[in-house]
Amino acid sequence: MRISLQEARDRIPQRDTILETTVRLMVPFIQLYGLYVIVHGHYSPGGGFQGGVVLGASVILFALAFGLPASKRYLSESTDIILANTGALIYTGIATLCALLGGMFLDYSALAKILPIDPISWHSHGIFLVEVGVGMGVTTIMVSIYWDMASAGRLDEGL
Amino acid sequence: MNWLVTLLMVSGVFFFAIGTIGILRLPDFYSRLHAAGKCDTLAATLAVSAIALYNLHDLSFASILVSWKVFFIVFFIFMASPTATHAITKAALIVGVEPWQRKGTRK
């Protein structure tokens, strides 16, 4: 006997202790790992996109275990959108700043005119700053896509 | 140390093989999930522990750190795999997947 999705949703109990305990234990470690991947992105495998996906997946895991409204208390919708736009702004802002300071688009060595350190080490720091922006954008957009797809755009109650 | 690593790795492969046979041969969703969940958890724990021990051939700080991270992977597989199996089984039960029964058994 198979039942419809709506019927299944009605039958699902609201809380599951095993799932909630495991998720509560794992989410901080997943987020720590995501931050590690973002921060080490410019000289080891990983980077803003991969770390952002890990961070976004931790929030999605939280939403799967505790329900979509609980995850919106954890990361509200307006915060989500603000962080996504700030991430995009950091990326394009730094890139445009390089162009305005006389370099090429995303040419980090031009940033040495603001803070006079070695242009070669500005390459490393500039990539790091851009990666932080990419990470913020990817995290929040991942969560936003999950919210929209899980609740068919109504953002009230997910899977 | 090498014999312990070999023992752990061989037993891990053994349990992986058992789990694979279980997934292929068992009759329905629940029993297949039972084979996959239990055997894969134990086998992955044993195999990844073997990797962590193998990495400890010299007791330098770097190799201890890498082994410590690998043991974290073991811990999280040990946590996450049974929980995922539990969640899938519960979802299947709610949606109404019927457990297999031998023909002629009374319900």
Coordinates of all heavy atoms in Angstrom, one line a residue, chain A residues 57-145:
Chain A
A57 N 25.2 22.6 3.8 CA 24.7 21.2 4.1 C 24.4 21.0 5.6 O 23.5 20.3 6.0 CB 25.7 20.2 3.6
S58 N 25.2 21.7 6.5 CA 24.9 21.5 7.9 C 23.6 22.2 8.3 O 22.8 21.6 9.0 CB 26.1 22.2 8.7 OG 26.0 23.6 8.7
V59 N 23.3 23.3 7.7 CA 22.0 23.9 7.9 C 20.9 23.1 7.4 O 19.8 22.9 7.9 CB 21.9 25.4 7.4 CG1 20.6 26.0 7.7 CG2 23.1 26.2 8.0
I60 N 21.1 22.5 6.2 CA 20.1 21.6 5.5 C 19.8 20.4 6.4 O 18.7 20.0 6.6 CB 20.5 21.3 4.1 CG1 20.5 22.5 3.2 CG2 19.6 20.2 3.5 CD1 21.0 22.3 1.9
L61 N 20.9 19.9 7.0 CA 20.8 18.7 7.9 C 19.9 19.1 9.1 O 19.0 18.3 9.5 CB 22.2 18.2 8.3 CG 22.2 16.9 9.1 CD1 21.8 15.8 8.3 CD2 23.7 16.7 9.6
F62 N 20.2 20.2 9.6 CA 19.4 20.7 10.8 C 17.9 20.9 10.4 O 17.0 20.4 11.1 CB 20.0 22.1 11.2 CG 19.4 22.7 12.4 CD1 19.9 22.3 13.6 CD2 18.3 23.5 12.3 CE1 19.3 22.9 14.8 CE2 17.7 24.0 13.5 CZ 18.3 23.7 14.7
A63 N 17.7 21.4 9.1 CA 16.3 21.6 8.7 C 15.6 20.2 8.5 O 14.4 20.1 8.8 CB 16.3 22.4 7.4
L64 N 16.4 19.2 8.0 CA 15.8 17.9 7.8 C 15.4 17.3 9.1 O 14.4 16.6 9.2 CB 16.8 17.0 7.1 CG 16.9 17.2 5.6 CD1 18.1 16.4 5.1 CD2 15.6 16.7 4.9
A65 N 16.2 17.5 10.2 CA 15.9 16.8 11.4 C 14.9 17.5 12.3 O 14.1 16.9 12.9 CB 17.2 16.6 12.2
F66 N 15.0 18.9 12.3 CA 14.1 19.6 13.2 C 13.0 20.3 12.5 O 12.2 20.9 13.2 CB 15.0 20.7 13.9 CG 15.9 20.2 14.9 CD1 17.2 19.7 14.5 CD2 15.6 20.2 16.3 CE1 18.1 19.2 15.5 CE2 16.5 19.7 17.2 CZ 17.7 19.2 16.8
G67 N 12.9 20.2 11.2 CA 11.8 20.8 10.5 C 12.2 22.2 10.0 O 13.1 22.9 10.5
L68 N 11.5 22.6 8.9 CA 11.9 23.9 8.3 C 11.6 25.1 9.1 O 12.5 26.0 9.1 CB 11.1 24.0 6.9 CG 11.7 24.8 5.8 CD1 11.3 24.2 4.5 CD2 11.3 26.2 5.9
P69 N 10.5 25.2 9.9 CA 10.4 26.4 10.8 C 11.5 26.5 11.8 O 12.0 27.7 12.0 CB 9.0 26.2 11.4 CG 8.3 25.2 10.5 CD 9.3 24.4 9.9
A70 N 12.0 25.4 12.4 CA 13.1 25.5 13.3 C 14.3 26.0 12.7 O 15.1 26.8 13.3 CB 13.3 24.1 13.9
S71 N 14.6 25.6 11.4 CA 15.8 26.1 10.8 C 15.7 27.5 10.4 O 16.7 28.2 10.3 CB 16.1 25.2 9.5 OG 15.3 25.6 8.5
K72 N 14.4 28.0 10.3 CA 14.3 29.5 10.0 C 14.5 30.3 11.2 O 14.8 31.5 11.2 CB 12.9 29.7 9.3 CG 13.0 29.6 7.8 CD 11.7 29.5 7.2 CE 11.0 30.8 7.1 NZ 9.7 30.6 6.5
R73 N 14.2 29.7 12.4 CA 14.6 30.4 13.6 C 16.1 30.5 13.8 O 16.6 31.4 14.4 CB 14.0 29.7 14.9 CG 12.5 30.0 15.0 CD 12.0 29.6 16.4 NE 12.2 28.2 16.7 CZ 11.3 27.3 16.4 NH1 10.2 27.6 15.7 NH2 11.5 26.0 16.7
Y74 N 16.8 29.4 13.3 CA 18.2 29.3 13.5 C 18.9 30.3 12.5 O 19.9 30.9 12.9 CB 18.6 27.9 13.1 CG 20.0 27.4 13.2 CD1 20.6 27.3 14.5 CD2 20.7 27.1 12.1 CE1 21.9 26.8 14.5 CE2 22.0 26.6 12.2 CZ 22.5 26.5 13.4 OH 23.8 26.1 13.5
L75 N 18.4 30.4 11.3 CA 19.0 31.3 10.3 C 17.8 31.9 9.6 O 17.2 31.3 8.7 CB 19.9 30.5 9.3 CG 20.4 31.3 8.1 CD1 21.5 32.3 8.6 CD2 21.0 30.3 7.1
S76 N 17.4 33.2 10.0 CA 16.1 33.7 9.5 C 16.3 34.1 8.0 O 17.4 34.2 7.5 CB 15.7 35.0 10.2 OG 16.5 36.1 9.8
E77 N 15.1 34.2 7.3 CA 15.1 34.4 5.9 C 15.8 35.7 5.5 O 16.6 35.8 4.5 CB 13.7 34.3 5.4 CG 13.6 33.9 4.0 CD 12.2 34.1 3.5 OE1 11.3 34.1 4.3 OE2 12.0 34.2 2.3
S78 N 15.6 36.8 6.3 CA 16.2 38.0 5.9 C 17.7 38.0 6.1 O 18.4 38.5 5.3 CB 15.5 39.1 6.8 OG 15.6 38.8 8.1
T79 N 18.1 37.3 7.2 CA 19.6 37.2 7.4 C 20.2 36.4 6.3 O 21.3 36.8 5.8 CB 19.9 36.4 8.7 OG1 19.0 36.9 9.7 CG2 21.3 36.5 9.1
D80 N 19.5 35.4 5.8 CA 20.0 34.6 4.7 C 20.2 35.4 3.5 O 21.2 35.4 2.8 CB 18.9 33.5 4.5 CG 19.4 32.4 3.6 OD1 20.2 31.6 4.1 OD2 19.1 32.4 2.4
I81 N 19.2 36.2 3.1 CA 19.3 37.0 1.9 C 20.4 38.1 2.0 O 21.1 38.3 1.1 CB 17.9 37.7 1.6 CG1 16.9 36.6 1.4 CG2 18.0 38.5 0.3 CD1 17.2 35.6 0.3
I82 N 20.4 38.7 3.3 CA 21.4 39.7 3.5 C 22.8 39.2 3.3 O 23.7 39.7 2.7 CB 21.3 40.4 4.9 CG1 20.0 41.3 4.8 CG2 22.5 41.2 5.2 CD1 19.6 41.7 6.2
L83 N 23.1 38.0 3.9 CA 24.4 37.3 3.8 C 24.7 37.0 2.4 O 25.9 37.1 2.0 CB 24.4 36.1 4.7 CG 24.7 36.3 6.2 CD1 24.6 35.0 6.9 CD2 26.0 36.9 6.4
A84 N 23.7 36.5 1.6 CA 24.0 36.1 0.2 C 24.4 37.3 -0.6 O 25.4 37.3 -1.3 CB 22.7 35.5 -0.4
N85 N 23.7 38.4 -0.4 CA 24.1 39.6 -1.1 C 25.4 40.2 -0.7 O 26.2 40.7 -1.5 CB 23.0 40.7 -1.0 CG 21.8 40.3 -1.8 OD1 21.9 40.1 -3.0 ND2 20.6 40.1 -1.2
T86 N 25.7 40.1 0.7 CA 27.0 40.6 1.2 C 28.1 39.8 0.6 O 29.2 40.4 0.2 CB 27.0 40.5 2.7 OG1 25.8 41.0 3.2 CG2 28.2 41.3 3.2
G87 N 27.9 38.5 0.4 CA 28.9 37.6 -0.2 C 29.2 38.1 -1.6 O 30.4 38.2 -2.0
A88 N 28.1 38.3 -2.4 CA 28.3 38.7 -3.8 C 29.0 40.0 -3.8 O 29.9 40.3 -4.7 CB 27.0 38.7 -4.5
L89 N 28.6 40.9 -2.9 CA 29.2 42.3 -2.8 C 30.7 42.2 -2.5 O 31.5 43.0 -3.1 CB 28.5 43.1 -1.8 CG 28.8 44.6 -1.8 CD1 28.3 45.3 -3.1 CD2 28.2 45.3 -0.6
I90 N 31.1 41.3 -1.6 CA 32.5 41.2 -1.2 C 33.3 40.8 -2.5 O 34.3 41.4 -2.8 CB 32.7 40.2 -0.1 CG1 32.2 40.8 1.2 CG2 34.2 39.8 0.1 CD1 32.2 39.8 2.4
Y91 N 32.8 39.8 -3.2 CA 33.5 39.3 -4.3 C 33.6 40.4 -5.4 O 34.7 40.8 -5.8 CB 32.7 38.1 -4.9 CG 33.4 37.4 -6.1 CD1 34.3 36.4 -5.8 CD2 33.3 37.9 -7.4 CE1 35.0 35.8 -6.9 CE2 33.9 37.3 -8.4 CZ 34.8 36.2 -8.2 OH 35.4 35.6 -9.2
T92 N 32.5 40.9 -5.8 CA 32.6 41.9 -6.9 C 33.2 43.2 -6.4 O 33.9 43.9 -7.2 CB 31.2 42.3 -7.5 OG1 30.3 42.5 -6.4 CG2 30.7 41.1 -8.3
G93 N 33.0 43.6 -5.1 CA 33.6 44.8 -4.6 C 35.1 44.7 -4.6 O 35.8 45.7 -5.1
I94 N 35.7 43.6 -4.2 CA 37.2 43.5 -4.2 C 37.7 43.5 -5.6 O 38.7 44.2 -5.9 CB 37.6 42.3 -3.4 CG1 37.4 42.5 -1.9 CG2 39.1 41.9 -3.6 CD1 37.7 41.3 -1.0
A95 N 37.0 42.8 -6.5 CA 37.4 42.7 -7.9 C 37.4 44.1 -8.5 O 38.3 44.5 -9.2 CB 36.5 41.8 -8.6
T96 N 36.3 44.9 -8.2 CA 36.2 46.2 -8.8 C 37.2 47.1 -8.2 O 37.7 48.0 -8.9 CB 34.8 46.7 -8.7 OG1 33.9 45.7 -9.0 CG2 34.5 47.9 -9.5
L97 N 37.4 47.0 -6.9 CA 38.4 47.8 -6.2 C 39.8 47.7 -6.9 O 40.5 48.7 -7.0 CB 38.5 47.4 -4.7 CG 39.1 48.4 -3.8 CD1 38.4 49.7 -3.8 CD2 39.2 47.8 -2.4
C98 N 40.1 46.4 -7.2 CA 41.4 46.2 -7.9 C 41.5 47.0 -9.2 O 42.5 47.6 -9.5 CB 41.6 44.7 -8.2 SG 41.7 43.7 -6.7
A99 N 40.3 46.9 -9.9 CA 40.3 47.6 -11.2 C 40.4 49.1 -11.0 O 41.1 49.8 -11.8 CB 39.1 47.3 -12.0
L100 N 39.7 49.6 -10.0 CA 39.7 51.1 -9.7 C 41.1 51.6 -9.3 O 41.4 52.7 -9.6 CB 38.7 51.5 -8.6 CG 37.2 51.4 -9.0 CD1 36.4 51.7 -7.8 CD2 36.9 52.3 -10.2
L101 N 41.9 50.7 -8.6 CA 43.2 51.1 -8.1 C 44.3 51.0 -9.2 O 45.4 51.0 -8.9 CB 43.5 50.3 -6.9 CG 42.8 50.7 -5.6 CD1 43.0 49.7 -4.5 CD2 43.2 52.1 -5.2
G102 N 43.9 50.7 -10.4 CA 44.8 50.7 -11.5 C 45.3 49.4 -12.0 O 46.1 49.3 -12.9
G103 N 44.8 48.3 -11.4 CA 45.1 46.9 -11.9 C 44.1 46.4 -12.8 O 43.2 47.1 -13.3
M104 N 44.2 45.1 -13.1 CA 43.1 44.5 -13.8 C 42.0 44.1 -12.9 O 42.1 44.1 -11.7 CB 43.6 43.2 -14.6 CG 44.9 43.4 -15.4 SD 44.5 44.2 -16.9 CE 44.0 42.8 -17.8
F105 N 40.8 43.6 -13.5 CA 39.7 43.0 -12.6 C 40.3 41.8 -11.9 O 40.9 40.9 -12.5 CB 38.6 42.7 -13.6 CG 37.3 42.4 -12.9 CD1 36.6 43.5 -12.3 CD2 36.8 41.1 -12.8 CE1 35.4 43.2 -11.7 CE2 35.5 40.9 -12.2 CZ 34.8 42.0 -11.7
L106 N 40.1 41.8 -10.6 CA 40.6 40.7 -9.7 C 42.2 40.6 -9.7 O 42.7 39.6 -9.5 CB 40.1 39.3 -10.1 CG 38.7 39.0 -9.7 CD1 38.2 37.7 -10.3 CD2 38.6 38.9 -8.2
D107 N 42.9 41.7 -10.0 CA 44.3 41.7 -9.9 C 44.7 42.2 -8.5 O 44.8 43.4 -8.3 CB 44.8 42.7 -11.0 CG 46.3 42.8 -11.0 OD1 47.0 42.0 -10.3 OD2 46.9 43.7 -11.7
Y108 N 44.9 41.3 -7.6 CA 45.1 41.6 -6.2 C 46.3 42.5 -5.9 O 46.3 43.2 -4.9 CB 45.1 40.4 -5.3 CG 44.0 39.5 -5.6 CD1 44.2 38.2 -6.1 CD2 42.7 39.9 -5.3 CE1 43.1 37.4 -6.3 CE2 41.6 39.0 -5.5 CZ 41.9 37.8 -6.1 OH 40.8 36.9 -6.3
S109 N 47.3 42.4 -6.7 CA 48.5 43.2 -6.4 C 48.3 44.7 -6.4 O 49.0 45.4 -5.8 CB 49.7 42.8 -7.4 OG 49.2 42.9 -8.7
A110 N 47.2 45.1 -7.1 CA 46.9 46.5 -7.1 C 46.4 47.0 -5.7 O 46.5 48.2 -5.3 CB 45.8 46.8 -8.1
L111 N 46.0 46.0 -4.8 CA 45.5 46.4 -3.5 C 46.7 46.8 -2.6 O 46.4 47.4 -1.5 CB 44.8 45.2 -2.8 CG 43.4 44.8 -3.4 CD1 43.0 43.5 -2.9 CD2 42.4 45.9 -3.1
A112 N 47.9 46.7 -3.0 CA 49.1 47.1 -2.2 C 49.0 48.6 -2.1 O 49.7 49.2 -1.2 CB 50.3 46.7 -2.9
K113 N 48.3 49.3 -2.9 CA 48.2 50.8 -2.8 C 47.4 51.2 -1.5 O 47.6 52.3 -1.0 CB 47.5 51.4 -4.0 CG 48.4 51.4 -5.2 CD 47.7 51.9 -6.4 CE 48.7 51.8 -7.6 NZ 47.9 52.0 -8.9
I114 N 46.5 50.3 -1.0 CA 45.7 50.6 0.2 C 46.5 50.2 1.4 O 46.8 51.0 2.3 CB 44.4 49.8 0.2 CG1 43.5 50.1 -1.0 CG2 43.6 50.1 1.5 CD1 42.3 49.3 -1.0
L115 N 47.0 49.0 1.4 CA 47.8 48.5 2.6 C 49.1 48.0 2.1 O 49.2 47.0 1.3 CB 47.0 47.3 3.2 CG 47.4 46.8 4.6 CD1 47.3 47.9 5.6 CD2 46.7 45.6 5.0
P116 N 50.1 48.8 2.3 CA 51.4 48.5 1.6 C 52.1 47.3 2.2 O 53.0 47.4 3.0 CB 52.2 49.8 1.8 CG 51.7 50.4 3.1 CD 50.2 50.0 3.2
I117 N 51.7 46.1 1.7 CA 52.5 44.9 1.9 C 52.9 44.4 0.6 O 52.5 44.9 -0.5 CB 51.8 43.9 2.8 CG1 50.4 43.6 2.2 CG2 51.7 44.3 4.2 CD1 49.7 42.5 2.9
D118 N 53.8 43.4 0.6 CA 54.3 42.7 -0.6 C 53.2 42.4 -1.6 O 52.2 41.7 -1.2 CB 55.1 41.5 -0.2 CG 55.7 40.8 -1.3 OD1 56.0 41.5 -2.3 OD2 56.0 39.6 -1.1
P119 N 53.2 42.8 -2.9 CA 52.1 42.4 -3.8 C 52.0 40.9 -4.0 O 50.8 40.5 -4.2 CB 52.6 43.1 -5.1 CG 53.5 44.2 -4.7 CD 54.2 43.7 -3.5
I120 N 53.1 40.2 -3.8 CA 52.9 38.7 -3.9 C 52.1 38.2 -2.8 O 51.2 37.3 -3.0 CB 54.3 38.0 -3.9 CG1 55.2 38.6 -5.0 CG2 54.2 36.5 -4.1 CD1 54.7 38.4 -6.4
S121 N 52.3 38.7 -1.6 CA 51.4 38.2 -0.5 C 50.0 38.7 -0.6 O 49.1 38.1 0.0 CB 52.1 38.5 0.9 OG 52.3 39.8 1.0
W122 N 49.9 39.9 -1.3 CA 48.5 40.4 -1.5 C 47.7 39.4 -2.4 O 46.5 39.3 -2.3 CB 48.5 41.8 -2.2 CG 48.1 42.8 -1.2 CD1 48.8 43.9 -0.9 CD2 46.8 42.9 -0.5 NE1 48.1 44.7 0.0 CE2 46.9 44.1 0.2 CE3 45.7 42.1 -0.4 CZ2 45.9 44.5 1.1 CZ3 44.7 42.5 0.4 CH2 44.8 43.7 1.1
H123 N 48.4 38.7 -3.3 CA 47.7 37.7 -4.1 C 47.1 36.6 -3.2 O 45.9 36.3 -3.3 CB 48.7 36.9 -5.0 CG 49.0 37.7 -6.3 ND1 48.1 37.8 -7.3 CD2 50.1 38.4 -6.7 CE1 48.6 38.5 -8.3 NE2 49.8 38.9 -7.9
S124 N 47.8 36.2 -2.2 CA 47.3 35.2 -1.2 C 46.1 35.8 -0.4 O 45.0 35.2 -0.3 CB 48.4 34.7 -0.3 OG 47.9 34.0 0.8
H125 N 46.3 37.0 0.2 CA 45.3 37.5 1.0 C 44.1 37.9 0.2 O 42.9 37.8 0.7 CB 45.8 38.8 1.8 CG 47.0 38.5 2.7 ND1 47.0 37.4 3.5 CD2 48.2 39.0 2.8 CE1 48.1 37.3 4.2 NE2 48.9 38.3 3.8
G126 N 44.3 38.4 -1.0 CA 43.1 38.8 -1.9 C 42.3 37.6 -2.2 O 41.1 37.7 -2.1
I127 N 42.9 36.5 -2.5 CA 42.2 35.3 -2.8 C 41.4 34.8 -1.6 O 40.2 34.5 -1.7 CB 43.1 34.1 -3.3 CG1 43.6 34.4 -4.7 CG2 42.4 32.8 -3.3 CD1 44.7 33.5 -5.2
F128 N 42.0 35.0 -0.4 CA 41.3 34.6 0.8 C 40.1 35.4 1.0 O 39.0 34.9 1.3 CB 42.3 34.7 2.0 CG 41.6 34.6 3.3 CD1 41.0 33.4 3.7 CD2 41.4 35.7 4.2 CE1 40.4 33.3 4.9 CE2 40.8 35.6 5.4 CZ 40.2 34.4 5.7
L129 N 40.2 36.8 0.8 CA 39.0 37.7 1.0 C 37.9 37.3 0.0 O 36.7 37.2 0.4 CB 39.4 39.1 0.8 CG 40.3 39.7 1.9 CD1 40.8 41.1 1.5 CD2 39.6 39.8 3.2
V130 N 38.3 37.0 -1.2 CA 37.3 36.7 -2.2 C 36.6 35.3 -1.9 O 35.4 35.2 -2.0 CB 37.9 36.6 -3.6 CG1 37.1 35.9 -4.6 CG2 38.2 38.0 -4.1
E131 N 37.4 34.4 -1.3 CA 36.9 33.1 -1.0 C 35.9 33.2 0.2 O 34.9 32.5 0.2 CB 38.0 32.2 -0.5 CG 39.0 31.8 -1.5 CD 38.5 30.7 -2.4 OE1 37.3 30.3 -2.3 OE2 39.3 30.3 -3.3
V132 N 36.1 34.2 1.1 CA 35.1 34.4 2.2 C 33.8 34.8 1.6 O 32.7 34.3 2.0 CB 35.7 35.4 3.2 CG1 34.6 35.8 4.2 CG2 36.8 34.8 4.0
G133 N 33.9 35.7 0.6 CA 32.6 36.2 -0.1 C 31.9 35.1 -0.8 O 30.7 34.9 -0.6
V134 N 32.7 34.3 -1.5 CA 32.1 33.1 -2.2 C 31.4 32.2 -1.2 O 30.3 31.7 -1.4 CB 33.1 32.4 -3.1 CG1 32.6 31.1 -3.7 CG2 33.7 33.3 -4.2
G135 N 32.1 31.9 -0.1 CA 31.6 31.0 0.9 C 30.3 31.5 1.5 O 29.4 30.7 1.6
M136 N 30.2 32.8 1.8 CA 29.0 33.3 2.4 C 27.8 33.2 1.3 O 26.7 32.7 1.7 CB 29.1 34.8 2.7 CG 29.9 35.1 4.0 SD 30.4 36.8 4.1 CE 28.9 37.6 4.2
G137 N 28.1 33.5 0.1 CA 27.1 33.4 -0.9 C 26.6 32.0 -1.1 O 25.4 31.7 -1.1
V138 N 27.6 31.0 -1.2 CA 27.2 29.6 -1.5 C 26.4 29.0 -0.4 O 25.4 28.4 -0.6 CB 28.4 28.8 -1.9 CG1 28.1 27.3 -1.9 CG2 29.0 29.2 -3.2
T139 N 26.8 29.3 0.9 CA 26.1 28.8 2.0 C 24.7 29.2 2.0 O 23.8 28.4 2.1 CB 26.8 29.3 3.3 OG1 28.1 29.0 3.3 CG2 26.1 28.8 4.6
T140 N 24.4 30.5 1.9 CA 23.1 31.0 2.1 C 22.2 30.6 0.9 O 21.0 30.3 1.0 CB 23.1 32.5 2.2 OG1 24.0 33.1 1.2 CG2 23.7 32.9 3.6
I141 N 22.8 30.6 -0.3 CA 22.0 30.2 -1.5 C 21.6 28.7 -1.5 O 20.5 28.4 -1.8 CB 22.7 30.6 -2.8 CG1 22.8 32.1 -2.9 CG2 22.0 30.1 -4.0 CD1 21.5 32.8 -2.9
M142 N 22.6 27.9 -1.0 CA 22.2 26.5 -0.8 C 21.0 26.3 0.1 O 20.1 25.6 -0.2 CB 23.4 25.7 -0.1 CG 24.6 25.4 -1.0 SD 24.4 23.9 -1.8 CE 24.4 22.8 -0.4
V143 N 21.1 27.0 1.3 CA 20.0 26.9 2.2 C 18.7 27.4 1.6 O 17.6 26.8 1.8 CB 20.3 27.7 3.5 CG1 19.2 27.7 4.5 CG2 21.5 27.1 4.2
S144 N 18.8 28.5 0.9 CA 17.6 29.1 0.3 C 17.0 28.2 -0.8 O 15.8 28.0 -0.8 CB 18.0 30.4 -0.4 OG 16.9 31.1 -0.8
I145 N 17.8 27.5 -1.6 CA 17.3 26.6 -2.6 C 16.6 25.4 -1.9 O 15.6 25.0 -2.3 CB 18.5 26.1 -3.5 CG1 18.9 27.2 -4.4 CG2 18.1 24.9 -4.3 CD1 20.2 26.8 -5.2

